[in-house]
Amino acid sequence: MARGEGAEQYSNASLLQTPSPDGIKRAAKCEPRGGLSVCNKLCYAIGGAPYQITGCAIGFFLQIYLLDVALLDPFYASIILFVGRAWDAITDPTVGFLVSRSPWTRFGRMMPWIVLSTPLAVLSYFLIWYVPPVDQGKVIWYLIFYCSFQTLQTCFHVPYSALTMFISTEQKERDSATAYRMTVEVLGTLIGTAVQGQIVGMASAPCISSGEELNSTGLLVASTVNITEPHVSLEHLRNAYMIASGVICCIYVVCAMVLFLGVKEQKETCRVRTGSMSFFQGIRMVMGHGAYVKLVMGFLFTSLAFMLLEGNFALFCSYTLGFRNDFQNILLVIMLSATLAIPFWQWFLTKFGKKTAVYIGTTSVVPFLVSVVLLPSNLIVIYVVSFAAGVSVAAAFLLPWSMLPDVVDDFKIQNPESQGHEAIFYSFYVFFTKFASGVSLGVSTLSLDFAGYVTRGCTQPAEVDLTLKILVSPAPIVLIIIGLLIFISYPINEEKRQGNRKLLNEQREHEIDSETDSTELNVV
């Protein structure tokens, strides 16, 4: 498909075809961008898949990989998870500022970041899932490549997120494109879960019974016979993780190519961008906009709830529920349900409003969180409640990215002289959520260490089971309640959103008229 399809309809104010005033007006007029084709929306949506595929694989599997495959101590695993997420959070506003200062190129302002970061990102991702042959350097190895991947993925995702504001000036078109994007992104989590889970699930996951390590006779026998099979099985499992990462890397590259070939940025030449600002000026700007603060804080807590559940669910299924060989299928059911539910939530927010969708969508996961802990361990029941929980996961994916453009539009209306800061708003949102998720993952892994987590254990102490239950049920529920309480004061309801849309169109028409008058005076 031609990259410019439907994307060349931005301002032609500088291309004067005739010196007559009518001709000048026609040429100076910034035409609103036409409707995006289904192909444009699909290509744009596919670009969001790499972030979710890799994020899902890391979120669900990295903790258990570091503990049971790389054989790291839980304390060091918690350091890697926290430092990696914290570093990732710090890079988001940094990249956001750099993107906002980037000059326009023939490929746009966002697209060069996406294309150039992709090769290095896939290399770093692959090396995360490789176990180095030295025991002493493992922690440094994973810290370096985990942080490197997070940085390079930020160089992809921050420009991609801000690209939402540059594919169309119409709220309806952006909302539709966002729905396409969220559908593909949830499908990406399904792919990430399927590729990582099913490939890894085919490998035998070795474990050590609690009595093996303490029995000297058992150790002597293991040194001659029994140790061979776990070693072979562990190597098989490590190879499976590398194969899965290689498949995901290929998907990452293909999605980036589709985005580059199928989407072109709309250059807003009729609106002058404000000069660059410092880091602290950016913080003051975004923190000074009340609607943005309430949106970010509300989603900060609700996102933390789902991240806490995501980070510990594999361990919870393996040890507390006893489904060590089935947890990847349970995750697959959740992601399949979420993929199917995205169109429903897009219809729901269009029909009943985005704030209503937040309350209904987020709270629908609470019965699952309660039942998964209180009900007896039964695989059929777990599949049923997992499918129901996926409906809420879909809302958690869709709503933040559907509501962020509304906040940016609200800022533009209140600050008509301050433009061109879309990447800053998106990057700070990601910054806050990632930093908080890094803290939650680090704390949860450290909690398992304090509870006495046994690396590669076939069973875990009762304290570990209790800790896992708290991390996947009471803690997420409390975070969800806090987030929803914050959303009560979120000011952009449907009436406000439609009013902003009307005001923004009027503001854009005023800018067009002003530029046309200025051009006429210059010609005269």
Side-chain angles (χ1 to χ4, degrees):
M1 185 190 107
R3 294 186 64 240
E5 181 181 347
E8 299 289 346
Q9 302 175 27
Y10 45 75
S11 170
N12 292 310
S14 62
L15 302 178
L16 303 179
Q17 303 297 324
T18 172
S20 67
D22 291 339
I24 292 169
K25 286 185 178 181
R26 286 195 300 269
K29 185 177 181 180
C30 289
E31 295 289 346
R33 181 182 177 88
L36 296 172
S37 68
V38 173
C39 191
N40 289 143
K41 294 175 184 178
L42 282 175
C43 290
Y44 166 72
I46 288 172
Y51 180 78
Q52 296 300 339
I53 293 173
T54 56
C56 182
I58 289 175
F60 279 126
F61 293 94
L62 185 58
Q63 185 183 50
I64 197 170
Y65 168 82
L66 294 175
L67 294 173
D68 288 356
V69 180
L71 305 181
L72 292 180
D73 184 90
F75 174 75
Y76 293 116
S78 67
I79 290 177
I80 293 170
L81 293 172
F82 169 72
V83 172
R85 288 298 184 102
W87 174 258
D88 185 25
I90 293 171
T91 60
D92 279 292
T94 304
V95 172
F97 282 114
L98 293 175
V99 170
S100 67
R101 297 178 181 184
S102 299
W104 179 267
T105 70
R106 58 185 295 228
F107 301 112
R109 189 151 52 97
M110 308 296 169
M111 203 63 72
W113 285 83
I114 295 171
V115 173
L116 295 177
S117 64
T118 296
L120 295 175
V122 296
L123 176 62
S124 298
Y125 179 81
F126 181 79
L127 293 175
I128 291 174
W129 305 100
Y130 172 73
V131 180
V134 290
D135 291 333
Q136 298 300 322
K138 283 183 182 179
V139 176
I140 302 299
W141 175 277
Y142 291 115
L143 273 175
I144 290 174
F145 289 108
Y146 188 30
C147 290
S148 297
F149 172 71
Q150 298 287 23
T151 302
L152 292 163
Q153 189 187 51
T154 297
C155 292
F156 182 105
H157 192 250
V158 167
Y160 173 76
S161 299
L163 191 62
T164 307
M165 303 301 297
F166 297 99
I167 58 175
S168 177
T169 58
E170 294 296 321
Q171 285 186 0
K172 183 178 180 180
E173 290 296 325
R174 292 201 304 256
D175 286 346
S176 177
T178 299
Y180 275 82
R181 172 190 166 188
M182 290 302 106
T183 302
V184 173
E185 287 196 3
V186 176
L187 182 61
T189 65
L190 178 65
I191 294 172
T193 304
V195 171
Q196 190 86 4
Q198 298 304 311
I199 293 178
V200 170
M202 289 188 295
S204 175
C207 62
I208 300 174
S209 61
S210 57
E212 278 186 52
E213 296 176 286
L214 302 177
N215 190 316
S216 58
T217 305
L219 285 176
L220 179 61
V221 173
S223 64
T224 58
V225 179
N226 293 342
I227 197 65
T228 303
E229 179 58 29
H231 177 72
V232 171
S233 185
L234 183 60
E235 287 301 316
H236 188 196
L237 186 61
R238 289 175 174 176
N239 291 335
Y241 271 99
M242 291 183 64
I243 293 171
S245 66
V247 174
I248 289 176
C249 286
C250 293
I251 297 173
Y252 193 118
V253 172
V254 171
C255 291
M257 291 176 61
V258 170
L259 175 65
F260 175 73
L261 296 174
V263 177
K264 188 174 182 180
E265 295 177 48
Q266 175 184 0
K267 185 178 182 181
E268 291 186 312
T269 58
C270 62
R271 182 170 296 181
V272 179
R273 293 175 60 226
T274 308
S276 59
M277 58 179 63
S278 69
F279 179 85
F280 294 105
Q281 286 175 325
I283 292 179
R284 286 197 298 271
M285 181 187 73
V286 298
M287 292 296 100
H289 190 58
Y292 179 79
V293 172
K294 291 169 184 176
L295 180 77
V296 169
M297 294 304 296
F299 279 123
L300 173 64
F301 286 98
T302 57
S303 298
L304 271 177
F306 287 95
M307 290 175 184
L308 203 60
L309 179 64
E310 176 188 66
N312 294 280
F313 196 70
L315 291 173
F316 177 76
C317 290
S318 297
Y319 295 113
T320 303
L321 298 181
F323 302 135
R324 185 180 184 89
N325 297 322
D326 298 287
F327 77 86
Q328 67 272 8
N329 297 323
I330 297 172
L331 299 180
L332 197 60
V333 169
I334 295 175
M335 293 300 105
L336 176 62
S337 173
T339 303
L340 298 175
I342 284 288
F344 165 76
W345 286 117
Q346 177 62 21
W347 167 84
F348 189 95
L349 65 86
T350 303
K351 184 74 172 178
F352 301 102
K354 296 180 182 180
K355 282 189 70 173
T356 304
V358 169
Y359 290 115
I360 301 299
T362 306
T363 54
S364 63
V365 77
V366 173
F368 161 73
L369 297 178
V370 174
S371 60
V372 78
V373 171
L374 297 182
L375 291 178
S377 180
N378 183 288
L379 188 59
I380 302 299
V381 173
I382 292 300
Y383 277 128
V384 172
V385 294
S386 296
F387 188 87
V391 176
S392 186
V393 171
F397 270 99
L398 174 64
L399 290 168
W401 300 110
S402 179
M403 297 171 75
L404 269 172
D406 300 335
V407 174
V408 176
D409 284 344
D410 189 65
F411 176 83
K412 289 180 178 180
I413 291 170
Q414 296 183 27
N415 303 272
E417 302 303 320
S418 183
Q419 305 296 335
H421 303 307
E422 292 84 0
I424 297 176
F425 277 93
Y426 278 84
S427 63
F428 268 105
Y429 168 72
V430 179
F431 165 77
F432 289 121
T433 55
K434 284 184 178 179
F435 186 82
S437 71
V439 173
S440 69
L441 281 175
V443 169
S444 63
T445 309
L446 204 56
S447 299
L448 293 175
D449 187 26
F450 290 148
Y453 180 87
V454 179
T455 301
R456 288 176 59 198
C458 294
T459 59
Q460 297 292 339
E463 292 81 3
V464 173
D465 288 339
L466 177 61
T467 301
L468 288 171
K469 287 181 179 180
I470 293 173
L471 292 174
V472 301
S473 185
I477 290 174
V478 170
L479 292 170
I480 287 173
I481 293 173
I482 295 173
L484 294 181
L485 290 175
I486 294 173
F487 268 115
I488 293 176
S489 60
Y490 177 67
I492 304 179
N493 53 24
E494 278 305 293
E495 182 180 355
K496 174 74 170 176
R497 190 172 73 89
Q498 294 299 333
N500 283 349
R501 179 183 178 183
K502 181 179 179 181
L503 290 173
L504 200 61
N505 288 335
E506 292 175 355
Q507 186 183 99
R508 188 177 296 113
E509 290 173 1
H510 176 71
E511 290 172 355
I512 293 170
D513 293 339
S514 298
E515 183 175 344
T516 303
D517 293 340
S518 176
T519 306
E520 289 178 342
L521 289 174
N522 289 335
V523 171
V524 174

